[in-house]
Amino acid sequence: MTDGTAYAIKTGIADPCARSWTFTAQKTMYGGRYIAVGDRLFLFASENEGGVGLVARGVVTATEATPRLTGVQRQTPRVSVSVRRDAPALRRLGRADLKPFDDWNDGRPETELNFKFYRQATDKIVGLSTEAAAFLDGFF
């Protein structure tokens, strides 16, 4: 990792068992735009697209910022990333597991994940706290 920060992505993942993936022009929120080569990335297969939640952990092998459109004032930064899988998830963690954690001020890693991924259900790349990354590491 470049600066000790981990990231997570929630998006459609056609093959959760693949050795690598490329995700193009992904929306970023909560610091997700700072993702860089060498960073750790937790992959969630979006339930909105038939996925099951957490499926893998990987290492970012390439990133490229998507250029902003001219003439559009409010734009969410987007980035394309390539990821090499380093471990499959050994336990389930999805929307139903995180839904009960909705006290936004309790400081729990489960609440952070619920807030960042499911309060606004769009697919995205998000930055994670050290506590949330450690929590997710327990699934591998």
Side-chain angles (χ1 to χ4, degrees), residues 48-111:
N48 292 341
E49 299 183 39
V52 297
L54 184 64
V55 294
R57 180 184 62 206
V59 176
V60 177
T61 59
T63 64
E64 182 179 349
T66 301
R68 292 184 179 253
L69 302 172
T70 57
V72 179
Q73 285 190 328
R74 290 185 50 127
Q75 295 180 54
T76 301
R78 293 182 179 267
V79 66
S80 296
V81 297
S82 294
V83 184
R84 182 187 69 244
R85 178 175 56 103
D86 68 6
L90 301 176
R91 297 183 321 181
R92 174 180 158 66
L93 182 65
R95 184 178 202 147
D97 305 299
L98 295 170
K99 188 172 179 137
F101 299 94
D102 61 359
D103 176 0
W104 302 141
N105 296 312
D106 69 6
R108 296 181 63 133
E110 298 96 324
T111 305

Side-chain angles (χ1 to χ4, degrees), residues 1-19:
M1 292 174 34
T2 57
D3 66 358
T5 303
Y7 297 85
I9 184 171
K10 180 175 67 86
T11 192
I13 299 176
D15 182 3
C17 297
R19 309 256 325 134

Side-chain angles (χ1 to χ4, degrees), residues 6 11 17 22 26 31 37 39 49-50 76-77 100 116-117 120-121 123 140:
T11 192
C17 297
T22 297
Q26 297 294 300
V37 171
D39 284 337
E49 299 183 39
T76 301
K116 289 180 176 179
F117 275 156
Q120 181 185 34
D123 293 348
F140 297 90

Side-chain angles (χ1 to χ4, degrees), residues 37-53:
V37 171
D39 284 337
R40 183 170 37 153
L41 183 64
F42 296 94
L43 294 97
F44 286 73
S46 176
E47 291 94 341
N48 292 341
E49 299 183 39
V52 297

